[in-house]
Amino acid sequence: AALLEIPSIDQTPASLMEEQSVARFQSMLSDFKEQGSSDEQLEEMATLEKFEKFKEISRANVEKVVVLGMLFRDIAEKEGVAVQEREVQEQLDLLAAQAKQKGEAPPDPAQARDEVENALLRRKVFDCLASYADITWVVEESPAELPPAV
């Protein structure tokens, strides 16, 4: 199985780190805009200095996302898991319909396509891995209530 052949990833490509950081920063600014931030406030946030600080703060999370993405793509390739164009298009059509229903602008086609494709691939890889695994669901019990501190 592909899990036995996964290479270790010692260094994440700088270009992927930068690309993911830019996408996350843009997404954050978009969220602020949707939450009612003014253009003036957005301009104050969208500086190179603020982006560099964002990159520094989010580096560990971005690195995890990049590494996991690389691993998922590697497993998908080794296991012959692929996302079909019609699956991506169905999801994009659904997103556009939801945006229209909410009276919002449709999502950026290129960015949405990448996100949808990645999400579908992750789901398919998880399904593939689950087909090999013996999964036992465990429900954690709530810890016993501790006595109040004295």
Side-chain angles (χ1 to χ4, degrees):
L3 285 178
L4 301 176
E5 302 171 20
I6 295 176
S8 65
I9 297 174
D10 299 325
Q11 198 171 13
T12 52
S15 61
L16 289 178
M17 291 289 293
E18 184 73 13
E19 183 180 305
Q20 187 64 228
S21 294
V22 167
R24 286 175 163 247
F25 190 69
Q26 288 174 336
S27 178
M28 180 187 71
L29 292 174
S30 245
D31 290 345
F32 284 138
K33 183 173 183 151
E34 286 176 15
Q35 294 169 3
S37 294
S38 69
D39 288 343
E40 187 177 281
Q41 290 170 317
L42 291 172
E43 283 178 26
E44 288 176 22
M45 289 184 257
T47 65
L48 183 57
E49 181 182 321
K50 299 274 171 103
F51 173 64
E52 292 299 327
K53 185 164 181 82
F54 173 83
K55 265 189 357 184
E56 180 184 321
I57 291 169
S58 64
R59 179 169 177 69
N61 285 333
V62 167
E63 189 166 19
K64 286 178 192 174
V65 167
V66 169
V67 168
L68 284 172
M70 291 169 64
L71 291 173
F72 275 107
R73 283 184 208 91
D74 190 57
I75 293 170
E77 184 180 314
K78 288 182 168 114
E79 292 295 326
V81 174
V83 175
Q84 303 302 315
E85 175 59 29
R86 91 177 145 66
E87 295 172 298
V88 174
Q89 194 56 53
E90 286 172 0
Q91 291 298 311
L92 290 172
D93 292 345
L94 182 62
L95 288 174
Q98 288 172 341
K100 185 176 181 180
Q101 189 176 37
K102 292 178 184 177
E104 299 172 352
D108 173 69
Q111 185 178 358
R113 177 171 291 283
D114 285 347
E115 289 176 17
V116 165
E117 201 167 326
N118 288 333
L120 289 170
L121 186 65
R122 279 193 308 271
R123 186 177 313 139
K124 285 185 169 203
V125 168
F126 275 126
D127 290 346
C128 177
L129 294 175
S131 73
Y132 291 117
D134 181 17
I135 299 173
T136 305
W137 294 101
V138 178
V139 178
E140 288 188 38
E141 295 182 26
S142 299
E145 193 168 304
L146 299 173
V150 179

